[in-house]
Amino acid sequence: MEMKLRGKLMVIMVVVALVATTLVALTASLATKKLFDTYVDQQREARTGQWGTVFQAYYAQNGSWAGVQSLLAPARGGRGWGGGPGRRLSGERVELADAGGRVVGDSEGLTVGTVMEQAALAEAVPIKYAGQTVGYMLLTTGVHYELITLEQEFYRSVVWAVIWGGLAAAVLAAGLGIAFSRRITSSLLQLSAAAARLAGQDLTHRVKISSNDEIGQLSEAFNAMADSLERNERIRQNLVADVAHELRTPLAILRGNLESMQEEVVEPTPVVIASLHDEVLRMSRLVSDLQELSLAEAGKLPLRRQRVNFTELVAKVTTMLSGEAASKGVKLEVQVSSVLPPAYIDPDRIAQVTLNLLANALRHTPEGGTIRLSAEEEGENLHVQVTDTGSGIRPEDLSRIFDRFYKSDKTRNRAEGGAGLGLAIAKGFVEAHGGRIWVESLFGEGSSFHFTVPLKVR
């Protein structure tokens, strides 16, 4: 059975605590050993220098090593000849040999008269006088052995300190591991439970964000995902309802007229047939618009890009609406420079975008109003703007104005305002070109729709 996250965190913290205390103990041991060795060497060098000075002075005064043994024997008050290097340290032994290697002085009196061994002579420090070696001094200090004992005691203390410290650290780490892991896993368990509820189609459930760390960021991301799923589900449901609503009326008209003709209540006159044909065309346009919109949103909309003179494209589009604008008493202004560089676009798609924006502006602009279409080069993009002096858009509708089937005027019927797909299609076509579309509006004062498309191949 695999260990749970809480157990893994606790084990990791315990292991880290034990490893850390062990490393500290080893580091302290190595550092102390180095200090001990350095101290021993310094003490030996200091005592060697002191005794060397004493022996040089003795030889300079006497001209030989005669009677030097008395210098090494303790004198009254614990001091040797002439004050010397002071009281000998505990365990310290001094041996002095003449130039031939014969021992002439020994602080312990054991080797006087014998020849110093070659190994000892090699370690001995030469005593020089007048540029010549007159003897050899071998100093053995008890500090080394005393420090070895101290070092062993220290190591023993460190071992026990590591054991007890490691146990204490392990217990503390286990306690902290339980506390921290409980806090972490509780948030993860909450996320897991929320994900399960989301999978069960409970799209309204959200997790509580209690921190600003990575867990908190994950919770925020989860809530954002849940918001997106809920919004998409709502859009899907609305889409089904809106499509059914948009198709219901023309289907009802077709059915009613066909049944009337079957019952010979209505004669199949050219006027009736034309009316039925209009309803069929309306349904065909709706299905076609939905198909193109779905392709655009899926990133699969086919584009036939080519270099297009945007001034000529605008002229064709405005010609299609000039008669309607004149009959409605709305002034249609075009401010597009004739020196604009060609845009790399699908002319049919961008023409439809421009036409949809102009038709939308014309629909909301009252008699005597003005609609202005302008275009200018903006870096590597073509910036197109359609501004009207119409009714404007309410602030609460601005964020949804490009949604499918969304109508800011809820009282508008099909004949007056269409299916509510024009702006959604415009947004899909512009984004398919790699551009963007947005709107600025003050309610009661008019609106300004903007979109950009690339001028060059990207």
Side-chain angles (χ1 to χ4, degrees), residues 143-352:
V143 174
H144 177 70
Y145 303 104
E146 293 173 1
L147 289 180
I148 288 177
T149 303
L150 289 174
E151 191 174 351
Q152 291 174 345
E153 289 294 330
F154 173 78
Y155 285 150
R156 188 180 297 111
S157 300
V158 167
V159 169
W160 282 107
V162 168
I163 293 174
W164 291 111
L167 290 175
V171 172
L172 179 60
L176 293 175
I178 292 173
F180 290 147
S181 62
R182 181 175 298 171
R183 180 178 179 182
I184 294 174
T185 54
S186 62
S187 299
L188 294 179
L189 289 173
Q190 182 185 6
L191 278 170
S192 177
R197 294 184 63 172
L198 210 62
Q201 299 302 314
D202 183 4
L203 302 180
T204 61
H205 184 69
R206 301 293 184 271
V207 296
K208 181 180 179 181
I209 301 174
S210 57
S211 63
N212 293 324
D213 55 11
E214 288 80 359
I215 300 295
Q217 294 173 3
L218 179 60
S219 300
E220 289 181 0
F222 179 88
N223 287 343
M225 178 190 69
D227 291 338
S228 178
L229 289 174
E230 184 180 14
R231 183 170 57 256
N232 290 338
E233 176 63 17
R234 185 168 57 250
I235 291 174
R236 185 190 67 81
Q237 293 175 353
N238 291 340
L239 174 62
V240 173
D242 289 335
V243 170
H245 174 74
E246 293 297 329
L247 292 176
R248 183 182 298 113
T249 300
L251 286 174
I253 294 174
L254 287 172
R255 179 181 177 181
N257 280 277
L258 289 173
E259 289 177 350
S260 297
M261 284 188 288
Q262 285 178 336
E263 296 173 359
E264 298 182 353
V265 175
V266 175
E267 294 185 3
T269 63
V271 176
V272 173
I273 293 176
S275 174
L276 296 180
H277 184 257
D278 289 340
E279 296 301 328
V280 171
L281 290 178
R282 184 175 289 110
M283 287 191 295
S284 297
R285 284 196 300 270
L286 175 61
V287 173
S288 177
D289 288 346
L290 284 174
Q291 182 182 17
E292 290 190 336
L293 183 57
S294 298
L295 290 173
E297 292 177 345
K300 298 180 179 179
L301 181 71
L303 296 178
R304 297 178 179 85
R305 294 186 183 226
Q306 53 186 284
R307 296 188 180 279
V308 177
N309 187 320
F310 192 74
T311 304
E312 296 179 358
L313 184 146
V314 167
K316 294 178 181 179
V317 172
T318 53
T319 299
M320 298 168 62
L321 290 176
S322 58
E324 184 180 354
S327 64
K328 194 175 179 181
V330 175
K331 185 179 181 181
L332 183 59
E333 298 180 354
V334 178
Q335 297 178 350
V336 179
S337 173
S338 59
V339 296
L340 278 178
Y344 186 65
I345 57 177
D346 182 328
D348 294 334
R349 305 295 188 189
I350 297 305
Q352 185 172 352

Side-chain angles (χ1 to χ4, degrees), residues 14-24:
V14 170
V15 170
V16 169
L18 292 176
V19 171
T21 53
T22 302
L23 289 176
V24 170

